[in-house]
Amino acid sequence: EAGVTQFPSHSVIEKGQTVTLRCDPISGHDNLYWYRRVMGKEIKFLLHFVKESKQDESGMPNNRFLAERTGGTYSTLKVQPAELEDSGVYFCASSRDGYYGYTFGSGTRLTVV
Amino acid sequence: AQSVTQLGSHVSVSEGALVLLRCNYSSSVPPYLFWYVQYPNQGLQLLLKYTSAATLVKGINGFEAEFKKSETSFHLTKPSAHMSDAAEYFCAVSDPSGNQFYFGTGTSLTVIP
């Protein structure tokens, strides 16, 4: 089966600009997750979708971040406006059942300059 | 609340030597524990998981981990390091729902020829 696909792999934007990250989960995986790793720190949970609904968005840092999941398929994470501290690697993951572990994408490395 | 501590952000071993990567967890409930590996320019790949069955868990690529409740540890080992094991390793514990993971800060493994 195809894995979790994230696009773009890298993005460099200026402070104040908008960036949209995309994640295509494994087909049939209702659960979709976003995580972020700021340089040198732990990977932190951002939010969890079940199909198109946000199940848990407790990790979203502020209202500059907006996540959507269209029709329960792919998901986007928009940062508007981007700040320097938003730099990091954004991981998407999907699963049928979280107890068995996720399948992660290769991440999007976001650099805000 | 769940949390994970990985001791040693960088570990170097000689090829053929024992690999030991340390992970201690904190959890208010019986934990689900995971080790993930990230090879350069790739996503996070599940190495192994503990879900309250056998305390010694075998994973891919010859890795294994032992759950020790008395020590709240879940250290990752491999008897003989291979050059291809050079990567970053993450220990994680999930919340009771299995839908939010708490990661450690990662350990970068270098294998010296």
Side-chain angles (χ1 to χ4, degrees):
Chain A
E1 64 182 0
V4 176
T5 304
Q6 292 188 245
F7 181 84
S9 57
H10 294 81
S11 180
V12 180
I13 62 170
E14 293 184 351
K15 176 182 173 182
Q17 289 186 322
T18 296
V19 62
T20 300
L21 314 181
R22 172 168 169 150
C23 170
D24 288 63
I26 292 173
S27 178
H29 282 192
D30 288 340
N31 295 282
L32 186 148
Y33 312 84
W34 285 96
Y35 282 77
R36 175 174 75 168
R37 187 186 191 199
V38 174
M39 185 180 292
K41 298 198 174 180
E42 68 270 29
I43 301 169
K44 281 194 169 181
F45 171 84
L46 294 178
L47 86 160
H48 169 213
F49 283 100
V50 177
K51 297 185 179 179
E52 68 275 9
S53 300
K54 292 176 186 175
Q55 186 75 14
D56 181 356
E57 52 183 330
S58 61
M60 294 288 265
N62 52 60
N63 59 10
R64 294 185 295 102
F65 289 76
L66 174 63
E68 295 179 325
R69 188 177 183 191
T70 305
T73 55
Y74 71 91
S75 175
T76 57
L77 180 64
K78 179 188 288 188
V79 185
Q80 178 183 27
E83 299 289 344
L84 298 179
E85 63 265 25
D86 301 331
S87 296
V89 181
Y90 290 77
F91 292 101
C92 175
S94 71
S95 77
R96 291 188 191 278
D97 182 336
Y99 289 112
Y100 296 96
Y102 306 160
T103 299
F104 278 88
S106 55
T108 293
R109 182 175 296 277
L110 174 65
T111 303
V112 183
V113 298
Chain B
Q2 286 76 30
S3 67
V4 164
T5 301
Q6 290 184 241
L7 296 177
S9 58
H10 293 87
V11 171
S12 294
V13 299
S14 297
E15 189 174 17
L18 171 71
V19 176
L20 170 61
L21 305 183
R22 300 178 185 275
C23 173
N24 289 88
Y25 70 91
S26 172
S27 178
S28 56
V29 297
Y32 292 96
L33 293 160
F34 302 80
W35 275 98
Y36 279 86
V37 60
Q38 186 180 22
Y39 298 103
N41 300 315
Q42 295 186 28
L44 294 162
Q45 180 181 356
L46 180 65
L47 265 181
L48 50 81
K49 59 183 182 284
Y50 167 77
T51 55
S52 75
T55 57
L56 182 62
V57 182
K58 294 187 183 300
I60 62 172
N61 302 335
F63 284 92
E64 62 183 34
E66 185 173 8
F67 172 69
K68 291 187 176 180
K69 184 177 179 180
S70 61
E71 299 178 6
T72 62
S73 69
F74 191 57
H75 301 331
L76 182 71
T77 61
K78 182 174 180 178
S80 176
H82 191 273
M83 295 298 293
S84 60
D85 295 327
E88 192 158 21
Y89 293 79
F90 295 91
C91 183
V93 61
S94 72
D95 72 350
S97 73
N99 282 312
Q100 184 171 152
F101 280 32
Y102 299 85
F103 284 88
T105 51
T107 298
S108 178
L109 176 66
T110 299
V111 182
I112 303 166

